[in-house]
Amino acid sequence: MCRHLAWLGRPRTLAELVLEPPSSLLVQSWAPRRQRHGTVNADGWGVGFWTPGRAEPARWRSARPLWTDASFASVAPSLSSGCVVAAVRSATVGMPIEESAAAPFTDGRVLLSHNGRVDRAVLPPVRDAESTVDSALLASLVFARGLDAMGDVVREVGRLDPGARLNLLATDGARLVATTWGDTLSILGTPDGTALASEPWDDDPAWTDVPDRSLVVVTPDGVAVTPLDRSEPE
Ligand code: GLN
């Protein structure tokens, strides 16, 4: 499992969000506290964020461990954004290790990260995936169906591959949409905005854990958590 996070709210620097907290994504890249699969997240990392005056999100990704990226550490205090997604990667066995396999993935409008794995054989064919990694194929599926359908995509893929782990975290710059399906996710509400993270980046008691098989939608107006596994008529 990889680790990911997102922020929606008052602009914060990438250093504040990714590098500085005591159990930041940087620390989680070698010492995650709640990771159930894999021990280190050293197979790449990435961050995507919106900046004023530009419709497309900016991205910085790498196939190397986050802790080796001195250039990012140098510029991160100077980069601010009110909508950010970042991830560190522990590659699933058999998946390529390359920059284009590191989250967040994008179609130019949405950023998406995935904690987990899925059997690529059960996925419908997708166009324009950034990599052959399972997460990039899932991302293309969500990009094609739209953010509103992300919960449906997770339910459908979960039915096709009952062993799949499908914690997705996506944003279109205006809202965050996340799923829990086999791994952890926590929420931190602050007066300045809302954070979602695979695991808390500090010991603030305000972090709350999201139940498994949930859909989380964060807007400037609030957070909605709804169950994903309600039984539906077939
Ligand atoms: N399956 C994805 C990959 O190989 C995600 C892995 C993970 O969550 N550790 O990159």
Side-chain angles (χ1 to χ4, degrees), residues 1-2 89-92 95 101 114-117 133-135:
M1 287 285 171
C2 315
R89 179 173 184 229
S90 167
T92 300
M95 298 296 163
H114 169 221
N115 285 178
R117 58 152 297 281
V133 68
D134 56 356
S135 308

Side-chain angles (χ1 to χ4, degrees), residues 27-107:
V27 173
Q28 290 171 30
S29 67
W30 72 82
R33 297 190 290 179
R34 296 195 181 173
Q35 195 156 329
R36 296 171 182 161
H37 302 270
T39 50
V40 294
N41 297 291
D43 297 320
W45 71 277
V47 61
F49 53 100
W50 273 267
T51 50
R54 197 164 167 248
E56 285 214 358
R59 260 194 316 176
W60 183 321
R61 297 187 296 169
S62 164
R64 295 181 307 139
L66 177 52
W67 68 77
T68 66
D69 215 321
S71 295
F72 176 69
S74 161
V75 303
S78 304
L79 295 172
S80 294
S81 173
C83 186
V84 178
V85 174
V88 290
R89 179 173 184 229
S90 167
T92 300
V93 173
M95 298 296 163
I97 298 189
E98 56 196 14
E99 182 179 311
S100 57
F105 304 96
T106 192
D107 61 352

Side-chain angles (χ1 to χ4, degrees), residues 116-170:
R117 58 152 297 281
V118 63
D119 179 357
R120 290 175 288 185
V122 308
L123 298 177
V126 291
R127 293 166 52 101
D128 302 327
E130 290 186 67
S131 161
T132 57
V133 68
D134 56 356
S135 308
L137 305 185
L138 269 176
S140 288
L141 206 52
V142 173
F143 298 154
R145 298 271 301 270
L147 261 192
D148 288 334
M150 198 167 92
D152 294 335
V153 169
V154 164
R155 262 196 297 263
E156 288 162 23
V157 172
R159 222 174 277 142
L160 295 169
D161 176 5
R165 298 191 305 272
L166 301 165
N167 278 45
L168 301 184
L169 177 58

